Amino acid sequence: MSNHEAQNELPPKTCTIDRLVTMPDDVNKVLKGSKTATRRNGRYADVGEIMVLGNKKFIVERVYSQSLGELTDENARQEGYDTVEEYKQSILSYHPGMPWLPQMRVWVHEFRSIND
């Protein structure tokens, strides 16, 4: 796995943190604590950035690159699913016609709730 942990090693963001988690089901999972990571095809946040959902704040703790072929059931649980297959089917339902290629790389954004 290609973990780019140091902030200065990361490429520029391709989007803003307010677009990191937008699907209502995903927002609910984050608010309930069952989703602690989001994978995107671009980098949406820097380590230390704050995401606000509802009236709660979440801090981004890690941002790194991962291939779809490296996904484990533990990674799927971070996303709020029980298995990689369940996560895969959800993603493909959001993006009809998108191929699921094991070599395709995504950006992982791991976050946790913070207290004010």
Side-chain angles (χ1 to χ4, degrees):
M1 175 159 64
S2 175
N3 282 347
H4 298 284
E5 301 280 344
Q7 193 64 48
N8 60 2
E9 293 181 26
L10 297 174
K13 293 191 323 182
T14 58
C15 204
T16 57
I17 194 167
D18 62 312
R19 303 292 305 152
L20 185 60
V21 179
T22 58
M23 300 297 282
D25 287 347
D26 287 342
V27 171
N28 288 334
K29 287 179 181 183
V30 172
L31 292 173
K32 289 190 298 187
S34 62
K35 180 176 177 65
T36 60
T38 293
R39 284 156 176 80
R40 294 292 204 153
N41 64 350
R43 203 168 71 75
Y44 285 41
D46 291 321
V47 172
E49 262 192 280
I50 305 296
M51 172 176 65
V52 179
L53 296 174
N55 60 354
K56 294 188 178 182
K57 294 180 181 179
F58 301 85
I59 187 166
V60 176
E61 294 193 309
R62 292 179 68 205
V63 178
Y64 57 93
S65 178
Q66 180 183 52
S67 74
L68 294 178
E70 293 172 317
L71 284 170
T72 65
D73 285 345
E74 177 58 33
N75 295 144
R77 285 188 286 279
Q78 287 179 308
E79 292 275 0
Y81 298 91
D82 291 329
T83 65
V84 171
E85 185 60 27
E86 188 180 313
Y87 171 68
K88 173 184 172 181
Q89 293 308 315
S90 175
I91 293 301
L92 294 177
S93 75
Y94 291 152
H95 304 287
M98 180 187 103
W100 184 271
L101 305 172
Q103 70 274 19
M104 179 185 277
R105 298 201 72 81
V106 294
W107 284 98
V108 182
H109 304 76
E110 294 181 0
F111 45 84
R112 67 172 171 80
S113 178
I114 57 173
N115 297 322
D116 291 343

